[in-house]
Amino acid sequence: MNFKNYVESNQLRAGIVPYYVDQGTIWVRLMIPSNSDFGGTKLQIGKGRVEPGEDVQETAVREGEEELGLKRTNFAGPIVMVGQSLITGQEETYTFYCYAVQVKNVKNFNQPHYETGWSGWVPSEEALSKIKNAQKSLLLATINKIKQLHPEE
């Protein structure tokens, strides 16, 4: 299957983890869907389908805006690619590309889209224990990347 058909068959997802570091604690912004049919009732990374013609980083930012209320004007630094993971579920299998971005102001977020039941800041260790299992390895990779980017904090 060529890349264009792969995207058009909705086999790619991308998401973003906004974060900040405060007194050595990494805080990540996660969400819970408003409908449990969209990923269950556990914490998860804001993510969505890559649309035809859209690159994965742009999808990650768009989904962060929709599901987390992320504002591009609130980025404190560059968007960082964390990694990708093949997610195999009962209904579908897809490749999930994950990014992270540090924010300037933890309160400078818009209201998320109606598909988000809850969105907020969670300390990274708590987030690891409460995130849906399929995303745990990507969240761990995100936290490890943040530790690399901020070793002094």
mmCIF file of all heavy atoms in Angstrom, residues 46-74:
data_model
loop_
_atom_site.group_PDB
_atom_site.id
_atom_site.type_symbol
_atom_site.label_atom_id
_atom_site.label_comp_id
_atom_site.label_asym_id
_atom_site.label_seq_id
_atom_site.Cartn_x
_atom_site.Cartn_y
_atom_site.Cartn_z
ATOM 1 N N GLY A 46 -4.246 13.717 23.459
ATOM 2 C CA GLY A 46 -5.097 14.287 22.423
ATOM 3 C C GLY A 46 -4.547 13.895 21.057
ATOM 4 O O GLY A 46 -3.403 14.205 20.734
ATOM 5 N N LYS A 47 -5.331 13.202 20.272
ATOM 6 C CA LYS A 47 -4.874 12.698 18.982
ATOM 7 C C LYS A 47 -6.037 12.538 18.024
ATOM 8 O O LYS A 47 -7.198 12.571 18.429
ATOM 9 C CB LYS A 47 -4.167 11.361 19.141
ATOM 10 C CG LYS A 47 -5.111 10.266 19.626
ATOM 11 C CD LYS A 47 -4.806 8.965 18.945
ATOM 12 C CE LYS A 47 -5.699 7.843 19.392
ATOM 13 N NZ LYS A 47 -7.128 8.048 19.185
ATOM 14 N N GLY A 48 -5.719 12.362 16.745
ATOM 15 C CA GLY A 48 -6.752 12.127 15.750
ATOM 16 C C GLY A 48 -6.170 11.660 14.434
ATOM 17 O O GLY A 48 -4.952 11.494 14.298
ATOM 18 N N ARG A 49 -7.063 11.448 13.490
ATOM 19 C CA ARG A 49 -6.674 10.947 12.170
ATOM 20 C C ARG A 49 -5.923 11.993 11.362
ATOM 21 O O ARG A 49 -6.267 13.166 11.372
ATOM 22 C CB ARG A 49 -7.912 10.553 11.380
ATOM 23 C CG ARG A 49 -8.576 9.324 11.889
ATOM 24 C CD ARG A 49 -9.692 8.889 10.939
ATOM 25 N NE ARG A 49 -10.189 7.619 11.398
ATOM 26 C CZ ARG A 49 -11.421 7.404 11.821
ATOM 27 N NH1 ARG A 49 -12.293 8.379 11.822
ATOM 28 N NH2 ARG A 49 -11.784 6.217 12.239
ATOM 29 N N VAL A 50 -4.927 11.507 10.627
ATOM 30 C CA VAL A 50 -4.222 12.348 9.665
ATOM 31 C C VAL A 50 -5.096 12.414 8.421
ATOM 32 O O VAL A 50 -5.461 11.388 7.847
ATOM 33 C CB VAL A 50 -2.831 11.767 9.329
ATOM 34 C CG1 VAL A 50 -2.145 12.600 8.260
ATOM 35 C CG2 VAL A 50 -1.975 11.661 10.579
ATOM 36 N N GLU A 51 -5.467 13.625 8.044
ATOM 37 C CA GLU A 51 -6.314 13.825 6.866
ATOM 38 C C GLU A 51 -5.455 13.789 5.603
ATOM 39 O O GLU A 51 -4.276 14.153 5.638
ATOM 40 C CB GLU A 51 -7.026 15.181 6.965
ATOM 41 C CG GLU A 51 -7.916 15.335 8.184
ATOM 42 C CD GLU A 51 -9.099 14.396 8.209
ATOM 43 O OE1 GLU A 51 -9.547 13.954 7.122
ATOM 44 O OE2 GLU A 51 -9.580 14.078 9.310
ATOM 45 N N PRO A 52 -6.016 13.357 4.471
ATOM 46 C CA PRO A 52 -5.257 13.357 3.219
ATOM 47 C C PRO A 52 -4.672 14.744 2.942
ATOM 48 O O PRO A 52 -5.345 15.758 3.088
ATOM 49 C CB PRO A 52 -6.307 12.975 2.167
ATOM 50 C CG PRO A 52 -7.328 12.188 2.934
ATOM 51 C CD PRO A 52 -7.381 12.839 4.300
ATOM 52 N N GLY A 53 -3.390 14.774 2.606
ATOM 53 C CA GLY A 53 -2.708 16.027 2.313
ATOM 54 C C GLY A 53 -2.145 16.727 3.540
ATOM 55 O O GLY A 53 -1.468 17.741 3.407
ATOM 56 N N GLU A 54 -2.405 16.219 4.711
ATOM 57 C CA GLU A 54 -1.942 16.827 5.958
ATOM 58 C C GLU A 54 -0.752 16.017 6.477
ATOM 59 O O GLU A 54 -0.777 14.796 6.428
ATOM 60 C CB GLU A 54 -3.094 16.794 6.966
ATOM 61 C CG GLU A 54 -2.842 17.504 8.272
ATOM 62 C CD GLU A 54 -4.069 17.457 9.189
ATOM 63 O OE1 GLU A 54 -4.673 16.383 9.354
ATOM 64 O OE2 GLU A 54 -4.404 18.518 9.720
ATOM 65 N N ASP A 55 0.283 16.707 6.987
ATOM 66 C CA ASP A 55 1.385 15.934 7.551
ATOM 67 C C ASP A 55 1.093 15.621 9.021
ATOM 68 O O ASP A 55 0.215 16.232 9.631
ATOM 69 C CB ASP A 55 2.746 16.596 7.325
ATOM 70 C CG ASP A 55 3.024 17.800 8.196
ATOM 71 O OD1 ASP A 55 2.669 17.816 9.392
ATOM 72 O OD2 ASP A 55 3.642 18.735 7.690
ATOM 73 N N VAL A 56 1.828 14.669 9.570
ATOM 74 C CA VAL A 56 1.516 14.179 10.912
ATOM 75 C C VAL A 56 1.728 15.241 11.984
ATOM 76 O O VAL A 56 0.958 15.303 12.947
ATOM 77 C CB VAL A 56 2.284 12.873 11.252
ATOM 78 C CG1 VAL A 56 1.754 11.717 10.420
ATOM 79 C CG2 VAL A 56 3.772 13.014 11.075
ATOM 80 N N GLN A 57 2.737 16.103 11.844
ATOM 81 C CA GLN A 57 2.947 17.151 12.848
ATOM 82 C C GLN A 57 1.786 18.144 12.841
ATOM 83 O O GLN A 57 1.306 18.554 13.896
ATOM 84 C CB GLN A 57 4.265 17.881 12.632
ATOM 85 C CG GLN A 57 4.496 18.959 13.692
ATOM 86 C CD GLN A 57 5.853 19.611 13.578
ATOM 87 O OE1 GLN A 57 6.866 18.929 13.497
ATOM 88 N NE2 GLN A 57 5.871 20.926 13.564
ATOM 89 N N GLU A 58 1.326 18.522 11.668
ATOM 90 C CA GLU A 58 0.192 19.446 11.580
ATOM 91 C C GLU A 58 -1.062 18.814 12.196
ATOM 92 O O GLU A 58 -1.831 19.477 12.881
ATOM 93 C CB GLU A 58 -0.066 19.855 10.132
ATOM 94 C CG GLU A 58 -1.168 20.867 9.974
ATOM 95 C CD GLU A 58 -0.963 22.160 10.749
ATOM 96 O OE1 GLU A 58 0.186 22.603 10.946
ATOM 97 O OE2 GLU A 58 -1.977 22.745 11.187
ATOM 98 N N THR A 59 -1.250 17.529 11.968
ATOM 99 C CA THR A 59 -2.383 16.830 12.589
ATOM 100 C C THR A 59 -2.268 16.874 14.108
ATOM 101 O O THR A 59 -3.251 17.145 14.800
ATOM 102 C CB THR A 59 -2.436 15.361 12.125
ATOM 103 O OG1 THR A 59 -2.629 15.336 10.720
ATOM 104 C CG2 THR A 59 -3.555 14.601 12.816
ATOM 105 N N ALA A 60 -1.080 16.627 14.618
ATOM 106 C CA ALA A 60 -0.883 16.632 16.073
ATOM 107 C C ALA A 60 -1.263 17.981 16.673
ATOM 108 O O ALA A 60 -1.974 18.046 17.689
ATOM 109 C CB ALA A 60 0.565 16.281 16.406
ATOM 110 N N VAL A 61 -0.825 19.066 16.048
ATOM 111 C CA VAL A 61 -1.136 20.404 16.545
ATOM 112 C C VAL A 61 -2.637 20.671 16.435
ATOM 113 O O VAL A 61 -3.272 21.173 17.375
ATOM 114 C CB VAL A 61 -0.315 21.482 15.801
ATOM 115 C CG1 VAL A 61 -0.779 22.878 16.188
ATOM 116 C CG2 VAL A 61 1.172 21.309 16.105
ATOM 117 N N ARG A 62 -3.231 20.330 15.301
ATOM 118 C CA ARG A 62 -4.677 20.533 15.108
ATOM 119 C C ARG A 62 -5.470 19.778 16.167
ATOM 120 O O ARG A 62 -6.402 20.314 16.774
ATOM 121 C CB ARG A 62 -5.098 20.084 13.704
ATOM 122 C CG ARG A 62 -6.606 20.189 13.454
ATOM 123 C CD ARG A 62 -6.980 19.768 12.043
ATOM 124 N NE ARG A 62 -6.483 18.474 11.630
ATOM 125 C CZ ARG A 62 -7.011 17.299 11.988
ATOM 126 N NH1 ARG A 62 -8.038 17.252 12.812
ATOM 127 N NH2 ARG A 62 -6.508 16.174 11.514
ATOM 128 N N GLU A 63 -5.096 18.547 16.418
ATOM 129 C CA GLU A 63 -5.802 17.754 17.425
ATOM 130 C C GLU A 63 -5.578 18.315 18.831
ATOM 131 O O GLU A 63 -6.478 18.288 19.666
ATOM 132 C CB GLU A 63 -5.379 16.291 17.345
ATOM 133 C CG GLU A 63 -5.876 15.585 16.100
ATOM 134 C CD GLU A 63 -7.395 15.468 16.023
ATOM 135 O OE1 GLU A 63 -8.060 15.403 17.080
ATOM 136 O OE2 GLU A 63 -7.924 15.427 14.901
ATOM 137 N N GLY A 64 -4.386 18.842 19.091
ATOM 138 C CA GLY A 64 -4.134 19.503 20.372
ATOM 139 C C GLY A 64 -5.028 20.710 20.566
ATOM 140 O O GLY A 64 -5.533 20.970 21.666
ATOM 141 N N GLU A 65 -5.244 21.450 19.487
ATOM 142 C CA GLU A 65 -6.153 22.603 19.540
ATOM 143 C C GLU A 65 -7.584 22.147 19.829
ATOM 144 O O GLU A 65 -8.271 22.720 20.676
ATOM 145 C CB GLU A 65 -6.104 23.384 18.223
ATOM 146 C CG GLU A 65 -4.810 24.112 18.004
ATOM 147 C CD GLU A 65 -4.708 24.729 16.612
ATOM 148 O OE1 GLU A 65 -5.240 24.159 15.635
ATOM 149 O OE2 GLU A 65 -4.071 25.784 16.511
ATOM 150 N N GLU A 66 -8.017 21.121 19.103
ATOM 151 C CA GLU A 66 -9.400 20.652 19.232
ATOM 152 C C GLU A 66 -9.657 19.973 20.582
ATOM 153 O O GLU A 66 -10.639 20.286 21.254
ATOM 154 C CB GLU A 66 -9.731 19.667 18.107
ATOM 155 C CG GLU A 66 -9.797 20.305 16.741
ATOM 156 C CD GLU A 66 -9.980 19.291 15.621
ATOM 157 O OE1 GLU A 66 -10.233 18.092 15.906
ATOM 158 O OE2 GLU A 66 -9.862 19.690 14.451
ATOM 159 N N GLU A 67 -8.823 19.033 20.949
ATOM 160 C CA GLU A 67 -9.108 18.178 22.098
ATOM 161 C C GLU A 67 -8.555 18.688 23.423
ATOM 162 O O GLU A 67 -9.027 18.285 24.482
ATOM 163 C CB GLU A 67 -8.599 16.760 21.830
ATOM 164 C CG GLU A 67 -9.333 16.118 20.668
ATOM 165 C CD GLU A 67 -8.980 14.669 20.440
ATOM 166 O OE1 GLU A 67 -8.025 14.168 21.080
ATOM 167 O OE2 GLU A 67 -9.663 14.026 19.620
ATOM 168 N N LEU A 68 -7.547 19.570 23.360
ATOM 169 C CA LEU A 68 -6.923 20.053 24.595
ATOM 170 C C LEU A 68 -7.061 21.560 24.785
ATOM 171 O O LEU A 68 -6.718 22.078 25.842
ATOM 172 C CB LEU A 68 -5.432 19.681 24.603
ATOM 173 C CG LEU A 68 -5.113 18.193 24.476
ATOM 174 C CD1 LEU A 68 -3.617 17.991 24.269
ATOM 175 C CD2 LEU A 68 -5.612 17.421 25.671
ATOM 176 N N GLY A 69 -7.486 22.268 23.740
ATOM 177 C CA GLY A 69 -7.569 23.725 23.813
ATOM 178 C C GLY A 69 -6.234 24.412 23.607
ATOM 179 O O GLY A 69 -6.069 25.594 23.907
ATOM 180 N N LEU A 70 -5.252 23.696 23.091
ATOM 181 C CA LEU A 70 -3.907 24.209 22.870
ATOM 182 C C LEU A 70 -3.930 25.424 21.935
ATOM 183 O O LEU A 70 -4.683 25.444 20.965
ATOM 184 C CB LEU A 70 -3.040 23.103 22.266
ATOM 185 C CG LEU A 70 -1.575 23.387 22.007
ATOM 186 C CD1 LEU A 70 -0.837 23.695 23.304
ATOM 187 C CD2 LEU A 70 -0.935 22.178 21.325
ATOM 188 N N LYS A 71 -3.112 26.421 22.234
ATOM 189 C CA LYS A 71 -2.961 27.604 21.384
ATOM 190 C C LYS A 71 -1.537 27.642 20.838
ATOM 191 O O LYS A 71 -0.577 27.546 21.604
ATOM 192 C CB LYS A 71 -3.204 28.886 22.185
ATOM 193 C CG LYS A 71 -4.609 29.075 22.667
ATOM 194 C CD LYS A 71 -4.697 30.394 23.433
ATOM 195 C CE LYS A 71 -6.079 30.669 23.938
ATOM 196 N NZ LYS A 71 -6.140 31.968 24.643
ATOM 197 N N ARG A 72 -1.397 27.823 19.551
ATOM 198 C CA ARG A 72 -0.068 27.905 18.934
ATOM 199 C C ARG A 72 0.741 29.072 19.498
ATOM 200 O O ARG A 72 1.956 29.005 19.563
ATOM 201 C CB ARG A 72 -0.201 28.041 17.421
ATOM 202 C CG ARG A 72 -0.792 26.819 16.763
ATOM 203 C CD ARG A 72 -1.110 27.075 15.301
ATOM 204 N NE ARG A 72 -2.008 26.046 14.806
ATOM 205 C CZ ARG A 72 -1.704 25.200 13.847
ATOM 206 N NH1 ARG A 72 -0.533 25.246 13.250
ATOM 207 N NH2 ARG A 72 -2.580 24.301 13.464
ATOM 208 N N THR A 73 0.076 30.138 19.885
ATOM 209 C CA THR A 73 0.767 31.301 20.442
ATOM 210 C C THR A 73 1.304 31.034 21.844
ATOM 211 O O THR A 73 2.044 31.856 22.383
ATOM 212 C CB THR A 73 -0.173 32.519 20.494
ATOM 213 O OG1 THR A 73 -1.324 32.182 21.283
ATOM 214 C CG2 THR A 73 -0.592 32.949 19.102
ATOM 215 N N ASN A 74 0.968 29.891 22.419
ATOM 216 C CA ASN A 74 1.399 29.542 23.778
ATOM 217 C C ASN A 74 2.597 28.583 23.777
ATOM 218 O O ASN A 74 3.004 28.107 24.817
ATOM 219 C CB ASN A 74 0.217 28.932 24.548
ATOM 220 C CG ASN A 74 0.441 28.893 26.042
ATOM 221 O OD1 ASN A 74 1.278 29.601 26.595
ATOM 222 N ND2 ASN A 74 -0.311 28.044 26.721
#
